[in-house]
Amino acid sequence: MRELFWAMMKEEWRLHATMFGSISFALFPVLIGAITFMGSLMLPLIGDIIPGQTLSFLVHAQFLLLGVMVGGFGLLGQEVMNRRFGQASLLAYSSRTLPLSDRTIFAVFVVKDTVYYVILWVLPVIAGITLAAPWSGLSLPFIGTLALTLTLSFLTGLAAVFLLSTLYARSMLLLAGVLAGGVLLSTLLLAATTFDPVLFFPPYALSRSFTLPLLLYSLTVIAVPFALAILFMTTEFPGREKHIPDRFSPLAGRLRRLHSGPMVAKDLLDLRRSGGLIGQTLFSFALPLALIWVTLVVLARVLPDARLLITFAGVAGIIGATIYTWVTEFDAIASYTFLPLGTRDLIRSKVTTFLLLQPLTLLAVLAGAIASGEYGSLLPAVVLALSVSVYAASVMVWLTGLWPAVMVYDVRVLAASMILIGPVLLGLIGLASISVLYAFGSALLLVPAYLLLRWSYRRWETWEKAFY
Amino acid sequence: MAAVISASGLSRHYGELKAVDQVSLEVEEGSLFGLLGPNGSGKTTMIRMLTGQVRPTSGSAHVLGIDVVANSVQVRQQIGIIPEQETPPSFLTAEEYLAFVGSIRKIPAVQEKADWWFDFLEFSDKRDVLCKDLSRGTRQKLMFAQAFLHRPVLALIDEPLINFDPVMQKTVKGYLKEYVRDGGTIFLSTHILEIAEEICSDVAIIHKGRLVHTGPVAGILGQQQHLADFFLEAVGKGSHA
């Protein structure tokens, strides 16, 4: 077991490090630590604007979101499960050749993911906060508690998504039933009892009042989903041959006017049949956006001038850009290399598929408008969300080509994307808070987006690893 | 006969490893050329370079008169390729995959051509099954069909028979011989010497990235009883080594 754990850790490290070099990847936690350090230095200033408890909630929510995204990233849908445990040549596949059960391997895999991403993300953040402590005024015991509760927040998100994705791999109906039951139970608890809503987020509750029962409650909320995920995990997907009529030809026919019609048709069928479209929409799109919405609503209470829908639209644009990751993640690029296609053709087809899926971003903004009642800002919000999404995706394409899911951990890529996207987004949200009409100006982002895509074609065409 | 493949001083290095080192060869039109070599000798790297999937570290190669490095997509448009490892996309059916390849290659009447391949390779009953649910042998049939769907004048095929049963091996070997008789050219990479001896007109032997022999099979069989004995001598594992 210990050997398997270390082998999986090495495997995960090498998976990332081989793409862009060990040093560059090793610098990733350093960069995270440095950013947190600088952010912590500003705490005394921020504290004058945002109350400590609100700030604490935001940070815990971000770690919950991080856990959701890390978990959702790796364990989505049957195809990813298949790739992780079936076709992919990873150690997780070794149950068929080694005397280890699928369940044992999955348990070690869960522990590996937890340790790996805590080292990669959580510890650098804690280190950054600790180093800034002399200037931020945070006490070391407080930072110690924070280290624990932030880790627990991350694990809560990870555990929840592991359980949900396990249910999803078993049955969509089961997942829908559990989700509906959860919502119903929560509503009943809030309506019929004096249940404190803070207890829905145990690590945050623990950070507010550190007690042994709350600690046990937090650990239970993590341990139970993990245990259920391991207990009910499955790699035995239905093996019977399904006979499926040709859906490709009619779809490719409908898309024939697009330059990459056949490839886009294949991508859409891939996403639909692998379960990736529903899975990604749920775990990598709707769930993070719901968390962001809650965060923004909390923030709006202390920053009454903030325009909720516009801010949400900007962030939804960023999440919308990650749809480019979905369309590249579910495809093996090597399976195109013996066809008369260049990297340029592949990128162009993925971008086209990404654009065809942008109505999801539109729907998110529409949901935000309904929830906030800010219908007057709907049109500029939609323009902002779609423009930011296309721009951020084009930055992603330029920086990572066909491998956004892996190359995001290259410290240079991360830093460059933050520089290219962060100020633009903040500037647009800032301007739109003066007048929502400024949000229409975001359409200008389509110009650099177009140029970045053009440059990307040339840039990645000559990249050797493009094929492997 | 004109050379359809022409490589000069072709090398591919991965750091210190010389996967292919200074290989020069010519493959004539209408031949069934076998590239033989032990595991890890550089056969697959050689095919990848000749099909523009990997850039050479040095040297040059022309396929059908086209510079592979400068115009790799154009080369792949003209030829058929069976890669060693890649399999068809998981979530297309066999029929959809051939339609997909047909639309990428712009093959007219692809449905009829696909029907012929389903019948010829005897997997019509699997045409509407997702590729992920196909057996390894059936996937190999599909990969074979996609390589020849557009009737290329040249096909570079890497271990094409390895997942076939003896009956299917016989069918495919028969097809390859007929294809060459009709004027096509095959560049076959394999380490199964019996197959090479049976169907190849010319062979090259690659060992540790370097070409150690090239010439007609008939010439080898005239000197030795079997290609296997000659091969073992060439790679330094023969009884006289």
Side-chain angles (χ1 to χ4, degrees):
Chain A
M1 293 278 273
R2 193 182 299 165
E3 288 81 4
L4 182 63
F5 169 78
W6 284 114
M8 280 184 172
M9 289 285 281
K10 278 186 208 164
E11 188 180 60
E12 192 84 10
W13 163 268
R14 285 172 186 162
L15 193 72
H16 288 116
T18 49
M19 289 297 290
F20 33 74
S22 303
I23 294 173
S24 203
F25 183 52
L27 283 173
F28 180 80
V30 178
L31 180 73
I32 297 292
I35 291 169
T36 314
F37 173 74
M38 288 185 281
S40 301
L41 287 182
M42 294 173 71
L43 267 179
L45 298 174
I46 299 169
D48 289 343
I49 308 164
I50 306 172
Q53 281 203 347
T54 307
L55 204 57
S56 172
F57 173 79
L58 294 179
V59 175
H60 282 86
Q62 291 310 306
F63 271 77
L64 181 74
L65 180 65
L66 181 65
V68 167
M69 294 196 82
V70 166
F73 201 69
L75 287 170
L76 282 175
Q78 292 191 11
E79 167 63 351
V80 176
M81 290 292 270
N82 269 342
R83 285 190 181 190
R84 291 240 175 192
F85 298 101
Q87 297 162 6
S89 300
L90 296 173
L91 278 167
Y93 181 43
S94 52
S95 71
R96 298 181 189 176
T97 49
L98 294 177
L100 293 167
S101 70
D102 283 330
R103 197 156 283 131
T104 306
I105 290 173
F106 184 66
V108 177
F109 173 79
V110 167
V111 175
K112 181 272 298 176
D113 249 18
T114 305
V115 173
Y116 189 85
Y117 287 100
V118 163
I119 291 171
L120 197 65
W121 282 97
V122 182
L123 291 186
V125 168
I126 297 302
I129 293 172
T130 309
L131 286 173
W135 299 278
S136 66
L138 296 177
S139 68
L140 286 180
F142 175 79
I143 294 172
T145 308
L146 199 63
L148 177 68
T149 54
L150 290 184
T151 305
L152 292 176
S153 296
F154 172 77
L155 290 176
T156 303
L158 199 67
V161 169
F162 273 23
L163 175 61
L164 293 176
S165 59
T166 298
L167 295 175
Y168 173 75
R170 289 241 167 219
S171 151
M172 268 297 291
L173 268 179
L174 184 64
L175 173 66
V178 168
L179 284 175
V183 171
L184 190 68
L185 187 67
S186 306
T187 312
L188 280 175
L189 272 174
L190 288 174
T193 67
T194 54
F195 189 80
D196 185 355
V198 171
L199 292 174
F200 282 128
F201 191 4
Y204 172 61
L206 186 67
S207 74
R208 285 171 46 142
S209 165
F210 196 96
T211 62
L212 190 60
L214 266 181
L215 176 63
L216 290 173
Y217 173 54
S218 295
L219 291 172
T220 307
V221 166
I222 294 164
V224 170
F226 267 143
L228 290 173
I230 292 166
L231 200 63
F232 292 108
M233 64 86 58
T234 178
T235 57
E236 297 299 322
F237 298 110
R240 67 192 160 84
E241 280 182 1
K242 280 186 191 165
H243 293 267
I244 299 170
D246 180 6
R247 304 253 185 253
F248 171 81
S249 302
L251 186 57
R254 280 200 292 277
L255 298 171
R256 68 182 176 280
R257 288 191 182 172
L258 297 176
H259 177 270
S260 325
M263 293 158 78
V264 174
K266 179 193 162 296
D267 280 345
L268 293 175
L269 286 175
D270 261 357
L271 276 169
R272 189 180 145 194
R273 290 176 178 170
S274 65
L277 189 56
I278 297 169
Q280 294 277 19
T281 304
L282 273 176
F283 300 125
S284 294
F285 193 77
L287 201 52
L289 277 176
L291 283 170
I292 287 164
W293 178 260
V294 172
T295 305
L296 291 176
V297 167
V298 172
L299 204 57
R301 286 182 195 157
V302 290
L303 297 171
D305 290 339
R307 291 179 189 272
L308 188 58
L309 184 62
I310 287 289
T311 311
F312 177 70
V315 183
I318 300 293
I319 300 289
T322 63
I323 292 175
Y324 179 71
T325 310
W326 312 357
V327 298
T328 48
E329 192 183 21
F330 281 84
D331 214 355
I333 304 303
S335 66
Y336 295 105
T337 58
F338 46 90
L339 294 172
L341 295 166
T343 311
R344 174 198 186 96
D345 302 307
L346 298 183
I347 292 178
R348 191 184 281 193
S349 73
K350 299 295 175 197
V351 170
T352 308
T353 310
F354 158 79
L355 291 172
L356 286 178
L357 293 172
Q358 281 308 296
L360 287 172
T361 309
L362 190 77
L363 281 176
V365 179
L366 196 60
I370 293 167
S372 66
E374 295 180 20
Y375 296 106
S377 307
L378 179 58
L379 192 59
V382 165
V383 172
L384 177 69
L386 293 178
S387 304
V388 167
S389 179
V390 172
Y391 171 72
S394 66
V395 168
M396 207 188 297
V397 175
W398 186 62
L399 290 172
T400 67
L402 292 159
W403 296 267
V406 183
M407 292 191 74
V408 71
Y409 291 109
D410 182 336
V411 69
R412 288 167 300 186
V413 167
L414 184 72
S417 56
M418 286 169 75
I419 291 165
L420 287 169
I421 298 170
V424 172
L425 180 67
L426 289 175
L428 280 168
I429 291 174
L431 279 173
S433 67
I434 299 167
S435 165
V436 286
L437 294 178
Y438 282 118
F440 286 113
S442 62
L444 290 172
L445 286 176
L446 299 179
V447 177
Y450 174 77
L451 291 173
L452 280 169
L453 288 175
R454 292 295 300 260
W455 295 336
S456 303
Y457 298 151
R458 247 174 291 155
R459 182 177 186 196
W460 293 99
E461 191 70 65
T462 51
W463 197 54
E464 175 84 338
K465 285 180 187 171
F467 289 131
Y468 300 100
Chain B
M1 288 280 187
V4 288
I5 298 176
S6 172
S8 175
L10 211 53
S11 299
R12 175 67 212 207
H13 301 169
Y14 295 99
E16 295 293 305
L17 176 72
K18 294 177 177 177
V20 171
D21 190 24
Q22 292 290 320
V23 169
S24 299
L25 60 79
E26 290 205 337
V27 176
E28 289 186 352
E29 184 182 355
S31 62
L32 208 164
F33 190 95
L35 181 65
L36 316 179
N39 291 333
S41 57
K43 300 189 297 295
T44 296
T45 304
M46 190 69 193
I47 280 206
R48 283 182 172 166
M49 281 195 286
L50 291 176
T51 53
Q53 297 178 66
V54 168
R55 285 170 198 278
T57 308
S58 61
S60 64
H62 287 77
V63 171
L64 300 173
I66 305 164
D67 184 333
V68 169
V69 178
N71 298 299
S72 61
V73 174
Q74 201 185 336
V75 167
R76 289 197 293 271
Q77 182 68 50
Q78 305 285 323
I79 64 175
I81 306 170
I82 302 180
E84 184 196 20
Q85 288 176 341
E86 280 74 37
T87 54
S90 301
F91 292 101
L92 291 186
T93 64
E95 183 178 29
E96 289 174 338
Y97 180 53
L98 291 186
F100 172 71
V101 172
S103 56
I104 297 292
R105 290 194 176 279
K106 298 183 173 53
I107 303 172
V110 69
Q111 181 74 53
E112 286 171 31
K113 292 182 172 89
D115 288 345
W116 187 88
W117 279 103
F118 283 124
D119 287 341
F120 179 67
L121 295 177
E122 299 169 14
F123 68 123
S124 291
D125 58 327
K126 305 290 183 192
R127 61 189 302 152
D128 56 357
V129 174
L130 291 180
C131 294
K132 75 180 181 68
D133 295 330
L134 296 174
S135 69
R136 196 173 283 189
T138 310
R139 283 184 205 170
Q140 186 70 8
K141 288 178 185 178
L142 190 56
M143 293 307 288
F144 196 91
Q146 66 78 27
F148 289 93
L149 194 64
H150 56 306
R151 289 292 297 176
V153 293
L154 167 67
L156 290 92
I157 54 182
D158 199 350
E159 301 289 6
L161 299 164
I162 211 151
N163 292 311
F164 290 150
D165 61 44
V167 178
M168 192 47 61
Q169 282 195 14
K170 189 178 173 213
T171 304
V172 168
K173 280 188 285 190
Y175 176 82
L176 293 177
K177 284 183 203 168
E178 196 180 315
Y179 173 85
V180 170
R181 267 201 302 275
D182 290 347
T185 308
I186 297 284
F187 185 93
L188 163 76
S189 163
T190 185
H191 58 245
I192 306 175
L193 300 175
E194 293 78 9
I195 291 170
E197 185 172 320
E198 186 185 339
I199 65 173
C200 290
S201 54
D202 300 87
V203 291
I205 299 173
I206 189 168
H207 181 48
K208 293 182 179 170
R210 295 192 74 97
L211 210 59
V212 293
H213 170 82
T214 180
V217 175
I220 295 169
L221 296 180
Q223 299 167 14
Q224 305 268 348
Q225 197 173 6
H226 290 294
L227 181 60
D229 299 325
F230 183 84
F231 175 84
L232 291 171
E233 288 290 338
V235 300
K237 300 287 181 187
S239 53
H240 303 298

